[in-house]
Amino acid sequence: TVEDCWCAIHGIVYNLVPYFEYHPGGAAILRGSLGKDASETVMQYHRWVNIYGIIGALQLGHLPRQDEGEEQGAGENTECEVGGDVDD
């Protein structure tokens, strides 16, 4: 929904709705990453940007950690663990 547009970046889930109007590329370009792990996209276009500094306040939670040796597929939908500290 328009009020609940989230993506994950480096295992942290963010609701991007409040950031849409500030994104230099516009809101439309962000829509392709919604509901997915956008880490690769962010690193491709914004490697030098402090993402947490810009959208850290929009954090919803963390994706569950994967056991060593397991890989989570890019774009794979998964449940979010809401809350928690960024450093845990």
Side-chain angles (χ1 to χ4, degrees):
T1 68
V2 175
E3 298 83 26
D4 185 30
C5 296
W6 64 268
C7 74
I9 303 170
H10 304 302
I12 301 173
V13 180
Y14 300 95
N15 180 2
L16 296 182
V17 173
Y19 183 64
F20 280 172
E21 67 183 282
Y22 301 105
H23 187 261
I29 202 162
L30 295 173
R31 289 193 177 97
S33 296
L34 297 178
K36 301 177 183 176
D37 183 338
S39 300
E40 287 184 30
T41 303
V42 169
M43 293 307 292
Q44 180 179 359
Y45 296 104
H46 302 299
R47 183 175 303 274
W48 61 90
V49 175
N50 178 350
I51 296 299
Y52 188 75
I54 294 172
I55 62 171
L58 307 178
Q59 179 180 332
L60 298 175
H62 293 87
L63 292 177
R65 294 192 178 155
Q66 300 296 310
D67 292 335
E68 282 190 30
E70 270 187 53
E71 289 187 32
Q72 181 176 331
E76 180 179 314
N77 289 330
T78 185
E79 292 186 23
C80 169
E81 295 174 0
V82 178
D85 197 16
V86 173
D87 297 325
D88 62 15

